[in-house]
Amino acid sequence: MKRHVIAGRYGPEDRTPIQVNGDEQLTDLQLIVGDRTLDHGIGAALTSLKALGVHPSEMGIDLAVVAAHVHAADNRISRAHESQDSWTREIRLVIPVRDPDTWSAATGTLTTLLNFLTGDRWALQFRERSERFATLVPANVASLLPPPFTALSLFSGGLDSLIGAIDLLERQAEPLLVSHFGESATSDAQNKLFNFLKKRYPNRPFDRLRVDMVFPVGLVKDVESENSTRGRSFLFIALGALAGTGLAEGFTLRVPENGLIALNVPLDPLRLGSNSTRTTHPFYLARWNDLLVQLGVAGRVENPYWSMTKGEMVRECESEAALREIASSSLSCAHPASARWQGLQGRGIEHCGYCLPCLIRRAALEHAWGRGGDNTSYTEADLHTHVLDTSQSIGQQIRSFQYAIARIQANPDIARLLVHKPGSLADVMGDEERWATVYRRGLSEVGDLIAGVRTAPT
């Protein structure tokens, strides 16, 4: 187990010495490809935004650069081998930015945000960019015509972000949809959904930004990669903020997510670490808003669906017809590659049907449209045909839901305490009873889906 330092470099001439302790391993992250182009998808994002008439600020670019450091560390430092408890890594980032004083003043908020999101111990330092890259925004970039976008929303390829896009379009907004894509199933889903929306709402100027940020295996020497990707949400929101700084001041970045997933209350006492994601938790989004204020960015991050279950989002979508037509092409599954392992991908199956997001999805569509209303193809098509093995992934999440539902039924008031388990809600919108209510309603939806499902260890 080693502590790791990731230090950004603006070109090969950037040789600023980085001090490391005896138990730290230093990895340089080269940010430039060619003569002046930002690497790791950032330069491509800036080119795409320029074509859309969107010109981000220096601070917006630095947000993307900071996110690149976080994403590189998160993906290329193994938890199993580089932590004392097989989970918590110790990571220091040394990041070159335009205004290190402003970033240094915001270090406390940023550290809190990252520690909460990934469960690691982050340390952050900022230094000035090298002289040749002191300014990255071209002079006189103002366009004669402002960009046409009146909204900004994350677009992951999932059902919730699809609903968020449809709702905006039905309300005559013109959103810029922001996506990060990696593996093929996610990319395919995003393409299918966006192409559908373009056909459904022709002659509308809404568009999208797609960014692919990957780092070579072996970036951190002699260290295995990591696939838990708890920091991906930071990259996703940073890309949205990057785009937002090129829109009108006071942008709102929408993060569409149902309340049950946003809260992600542990379903049983053993659901810790890898089972306790906080990618859209209200505390996390609140810290993002604190960070933007401290950085002087005139924007905010908002989840307009925090008080709704996924089923309520489906039922109240502004266009049921549009959603019914394309919902099956959205991707919710936590491990869509399982279809490939079983040789089912050729049949168009991407959802396992039994992971936590799949169960919430199935429950939502059944809640909104009735039994038979969900035409998504699942590897496990019928959860009721046989006993599901709780020692295997096929039964583990259902058993956890059964435990959580029984616990709430026995003592409904305990929900007021449980919603604080993933993180305190004391300083974010709404009192604990409002959060507890959406948690109970979300569990109720899943309870209707799995009523009568048999689980047992085998």
Side-chain angles (χ1 to χ4, degrees), residues 216-454:
V217 174
L219 173 70
V220 180
K221 186 178 179 180
D222 298 327
V223 170
E224 293 186 16
S225 296
E226 173 61 35
N227 61 9
S228 60
T229 63
R230 283 300 176 267
R232 187 168 181 264
S233 170
F234 185 84
L235 171 63
F236 212 177
I237 293 176
L239 294 174
L242 166 72
T245 64
L247 300 177
E249 286 200 6
F251 70 85
T252 296
L253 173 62
R254 294 162 61 98
V255 182
E257 187 75 270
N258 69 85
L260 184 61
I261 287 287
L263 290 172
N264 200 24
V265 178
L267 298 177
D268 62 59
L270 298 179
R271 294 181 64 86
L272 302 172
S274 62
N275 289 317
S276 298
T277 59
R278 294 161 166 174
T279 55
T280 56
H281 191 275
F283 179 87
Y284 170 66
L285 297 187
R287 298 293 77 76
W288 253 107
N289 287 325
D290 291 343
L291 178 64
L292 293 177
V293 169
Q294 292 170 10
L295 296 177
V297 175
R300 62 177 289 102
V301 181
E302 177 182 286
N303 177 8
Y305 302 101
W306 70 267
S307 62
M308 300 173 70
T309 67
K310 200 180 195 81
E312 290 163 353
M313 287 182 67
V314 173
R315 189 182 65 230
E316 298 182 27
C317 179
E318 296 283 347
S319 176
E320 180 180 332
L323 188 59
R324 279 185 180 270
E325 187 174 346
I326 195 61
S328 62
S329 293
S330 63
L331 182 63
S332 303
C333 189
H335 37 76
S338 64
R340 290 197 294 273
W341 302 336
Q342 299 180 50
L344 299 174
Q345 192 177 32
R347 291 165 45 190
I349 298 176
E350 297 284 5
H351 289 83
C352 70
Y354 50 80
C355 67
L356 186 143
C358 274
L359 292 172
I360 295 175
R361 173 198 177 94
R362 297 178 79 159
L365 293 171
E366 183 173 301
H367 173 82
W369 296 339
R371 191 173 295 274
D374 179 8
N375 60 358
T376 307
S377 296
Y378 298 101
T379 302
E380 190 67 25
D382 190 339
L383 300 172
H384 295 77
T385 57
H386 57 277
V387 177
L388 302 182
D389 186 354
T390 56
S391 68
Q392 303 295 323
S393 59
I394 193 169
Q396 288 171 350
Q397 305 297 342
I398 291 177
R399 184 67 190 95
S400 292
F401 269 117
Q402 290 173 334
Y403 174 89
I405 291 165
R407 192 179 186 189
I408 290 296
Q409 289 175 339
N411 183 8
D413 287 340
I414 200 174
R416 295 167 63 96
L417 299 176
L418 294 177
V419 293
H420 291 278
K421 289 290 185 181
S424 174
L425 297 166
D427 67 339
V428 295
M429 56 193 174
D431 58 34
E432 62 187 17
E433 182 54 35
R434 295 172 70 187
W435 297 110
T437 297
V438 72
Y439 176 56
R440 295 189 199 102
R441 294 202 312 267
L443 287 184
S444 178
E445 283 183 12
V446 179
D448 291 341
L449 172 75
I450 64 175
V453 172
R454 295 167 295 158

Side-chain angles (χ1 to χ4, degrees), residues 2 41 145 185 213 406 442:
K2 295 183 289 291
L145 294 174
M213 183 179 287

